[in-house]
Amino acid sequence: MKIKNTVPTSLVQGTIAVVFCAFFLHTTLCLQGFGQEIRKMPRLLAPGVMKTIQPDFKFYETFTEGEIVEVTALGPEYHWAKLRFPTKEYTKDNPVTCLEFQFKIPRIIEVDLPTKDSQIVKTPVWYIIYSVTNKKWAAEESQKLDALQVNLSSGNELEPLDANLDFGSTLLVEEFEPGPDEFTPGRFNAKAGESTIEFVPQFIFASESLLFPKTKQYVVPEQVIPLALPAIIQQEDANRTFETTVSMADRKIEPGETAWGVAMWKDIDPNVKDFSIYISGLSNAYHWEIDKEKHQPGVVGSGYSMSRKTLKLNFWAPGAADHLLSKEIQYGNRLAGRKADEKPPVDFEWVYR
């Protein structure tokens, strides 16, 4: 009699079930991990959603002219501060920088915020999403700069750089032919550079359509609103890291790096129509202005005032005050109602303030 080697059917079925469950569990975990990676990717924005302001440079921004009393007062070894500089000795360590700025049209969101009397009320919060990029120079643009020479002793000194250049974020000037004496500027050219940039932003909301009193501009400084930040991030992109104006100032932006941020305002007058947002900190260019009536030669700080290069973005917000959240904010100035003798409307401009 032959004895067959048999395996119970229940055991075979159990083994198949265990293998199938293990395979199913492994596949599920892999898919979940893949799904998590997909969900961690920032949201892909459609073309045109982000408006771009390229880095802006003028040749005169690389120079300081006249005596800097605050420096020369320190002693005779600082006599160089009486000259226009940079010179060969004061060039490489003093680049002019300007970040590329991208932004989305400002939006309004309602957030539960506490009041002074400890009540929780829904409060409109205005905000703007933006990114800044420490832009590198393209090779062909760097070559164009090498061919650009400026003679400061000529009649057309301090002319702007070629507006058609695709600028990087760091610009140097270099003296290649000195002047006949130490008080006469020589010949210079511009040089493409790279540097780590610290962006210390300041955002100002301002409107000329709301005047209190009539001689002053309606101005609201930006403020960090911690309770509004999670709602804004959830509405915009939960998978992207957004810096506040405080945390942005704590980081350094390396060449080629992009950082994202958000600026916020509350208590904006609902009657606002035309308004502008001023952003300072994108460029390290500045101007010294002297009030000749108040200036006293040799006295530190007398009659001096400094203004920083600032980006001004213009917007208008149609809609009734009692339907604030339905305002469709538009980029640029309104054409309607402009007087013939006024400047033509612009979307943005660089100003000193």
Side-chain angles (χ1 to χ4, degrees):
M1 183 178 66
K2 295 182 178 180
I3 301 175
K4 295 182 178 180
N5 293 325
T6 60
V7 179
T9 304
S10 59
L11 180 60
V12 174
Q13 291 176 341
T15 303
I16 294 175
V18 170
V19 172
F20 177 79
C21 289
F23 175 77
F24 178 78
L25 180 61
H26 176 74
T27 305
T28 301
L29 291 175
C30 290
L31 290 175
Q32 285 181 348
F34 180 70
Q36 289 175 357
E37 290 299 318
I38 293 178
R39 286 195 295 272
K40 289 181 181 179
M41 294 177 60
R43 183 180 300 168
L44 183 63
L45 300 176
V49 171
M50 297 288 287
K51 311 297 182 184
T52 302
I53 310 297
Q54 298 288 350
D56 178 82
F57 292 98
K58 299 293 184 292
F59 193 79
Y60 61 78
E61 293 171 344
T62 64
F63 285 80
T64 297
E65 298 184 72
E67 180 181 356
I68 306 175
V69 180
E70 286 74 9
V71 177
T72 57
L74 298 176
E77 65 271 25
Y78 296 96
H79 72 281
W80 53 265
K82 295 182 180 181
L83 309 176
R84 174 188 286 130
F85 71 93
T87 63
K88 283 187 176 180
E89 291 77 16
Y90 305 100
T91 299
K92 295 183 179 179
D93 295 332
N94 297 281
V96 180
T97 60
C98 188
L99 294 165
E100 180 185 79
F101 186 78
Q102 292 187 305
F103 65 96
K104 292 178 68 174
I105 302 298
R107 302 180 71 180
I108 307 170
I109 189 173
E110 271 195 333
V111 182
D112 290 330
L113 297 179
T115 62
K116 294 180 180 179
D117 56 357
S118 301
Q119 300 295 318
I120 302 296
V121 298
K122 288 193 176 295
T123 305
V125 173
W126 294 59
Y127 70 91
I128 184 171
I129 295 296
Y130 69 91
S131 69
V132 286
T133 301
N134 187 349
K135 192 177 177 182
K136 291 185 177 182
W137 288 84
E140 58 271 19
E141 300 301 328
S142 179
Q143 293 173 0
K144 292 179 183 178
L145 277 183
D146 290 339
L148 179 64
Q149 299 179 357
V150 180
N151 187 353
L152 294 184
S153 60
S154 68
N156 297 321
E157 61 184 43
L158 303 183
E159 294 230 348
L161 292 167
D162 186 354
N164 295 322
L165 283 174
D166 183 15
F167 289 104
S169 289
T170 301
L171 180 72
L172 296 159
V173 294
E174 184 177 75
E175 185 180 46
F176 64 90
E177 181 181 316
D181 55 67
E182 62 176 342
F183 295 100
T184 304
R187 292 169 61 84
F188 291 77
N189 62 5
K191 289 289 185 181
E194 290 185 3
S195 64
T196 299
I197 300 175
E198 296 183 10
F199 178 41
V200 183
Q202 182 182 36
F203 289 80
I204 298 292
F205 184 104
S207 175
E208 296 180 356
S209 61
L210 297 171
L211 304 180
F212 303 102
K214 292 293 184 180
T215 56
K216 293 185 178 181
Q217 192 178 43
Y218 174 78
V219 173
V220 180
E222 191 265 351
Q223 56 184 304
V224 177
I225 308 171
L227 292 178
L229 190 57
I232 293 173
I233 292 176
Q234 188 62 37
Q235 178 165 283
E236 294 297 329
D237 192 345
N239 296 323
R240 192 182 296 279
T241 300
F242 292 100
E243 307 283 358
T244 66
T245 50
V246 175
S247 62
M248 183 70 79
D250 289 336
R251 62 173 297 167
K252 296 181 179 180
I253 305 175
E254 302 294 333
E257 184 182 5
T258 297
W260 287 72
V262 55
M264 297 166 275
W265 297 264
K266 67 182 184 71
D267 301 327
I268 298 293
D269 191 309
N271 295 293
V272 68
K273 296 295 183 184
D274 299 273
F275 68 94
S276 300
I277 294 178
Y278 294 87
I279 306 105
S280 60
L282 295 170
S283 172
N284 65 351
Y286 62 90
H287 278 170
W288 280 106
E289 296 180 359
I290 301 176
D291 187 332
K292 294 183 178 180
E293 295 182 358
K294 297 180 180 179
H295 178 60
Q296 302 176 35
V299 178
V300 175
S302 65
Y304 278 88
S305 63
M306 188 185 76
S307 56
R308 304 169 65 191
K309 187 171 184 176
T310 302
L311 177 62
K312 178 186 179 184
L313 303 177
N314 297 317
F315 303 95
W316 62 289
D322 56 348
H323 291 86
L324 184 62
L325 295 179
S326 65
K327 282 180 177 287
E328 296 182 1
I329 300 173
Q330 306 292 323
Y331 179 41
N333 280 2
R334 288 186 297 172
L335 293 174
R338 298 285 174 181
K339 297 180 181 179
D341 58 345
E342 289 183 342
K343 293 181 179 180
V346 293
D347 294 340
F348 75 93
E349 56 186 323
W350 291 94
V351 298
Y352 279 86
R353 57 174 289 151

